[in-house]
Amino acid sequence: METSTFVYDGDCAFCTSCAEFIERRIPTAARVVPWQFADLDALGLTVAECEEAVQWVGADGSRAAGPDAIAKLLAASGPLWRVAGAGLRIPPVRVAAWPLYRWVARNRHRLPGGTAACSLPQEARERLYGPAGRPTTGA
């Protein structure tokens, strides 16, 4: 793989807002893509992994999830962001980052930019909103 890839949940408004922040504010050569539009097989990822946490697949084939993926993304970014990424890898910070990440993931529908659809598993979202993310009509 030539380019590292950061994969997020494109059906979640909160996650999408965070991805847009990354694209606007964090200079990185990594691709930032929603898992719904990524070639998961080529990346070696599963839908279950992507539903559980953000994912990082490095150009070297390295993989990380959740706050570890965020640390990898930051490490592959500009100098100030690399410092933040290194901070996330410090053992006590890393240990604390996982419970915080899980709390955010469980409550993302309540956070700024989040919607009720953010709290649903992918299968339920598709049943209610269709694969394109729009409500289905009973016809």
Side-chain angles (χ1 to χ4, degrees):
M1 182 179 331
E2 294 178 24
T3 304
S4 298
T5 305
F6 184 80
V7 182
Y8 67 96
D9 185 351
D11 283 342
C12 172
F14 175 75
C15 301
T16 299
S17 295
C18 292
E20 288 170 354
F21 175 86
I22 292 167
E23 291 174 331
R24 281 192 319 269
R25 305 279 187 206
I26 301 178
T28 181
R31 293 182 326 127
V32 178
V33 299
W35 70 260
Q36 293 86 349
F37 296 104
D39 183 348
L40 297 183
D41 288 336
L43 293 170
L45 297 172
T46 66
V47 169
E49 290 171 319
C50 295
E51 283 185 332
E52 186 175 318
V54 294
Q55 302 291 320
W56 171 267
V57 180
D60 62 357
S62 64
R63 291 186 36 193
D68 296 334
I70 295 167
K72 293 272 193 181
L73 171 76
L74 295 173
S77 301
L80 183 60
W81 296 105
R82 281 195 293 271
V83 171
L88 267 175
R89 289 190 305 274
I90 296 171
V93 175
R94 184 174 182 265
V95 167
W98 271 103
L100 178 61
Y101 180 87
R102 287 186 187 107
W103 182 88
V104 169
R106 278 191 316 273
N107 293 283
R108 60 190 179 167
H109 61 287
R110 295 183 177 112
L111 299 173
T115 66
C118 297
S119 66
L120 300 173
Q122 180 65 22
E123 182 180 307
R125 280 186 289 210
E126 287 182 2
R127 191 172 49 251
L128 290 170
Y129 299 101
R134 289 182 221 99
T136 58
T137 55

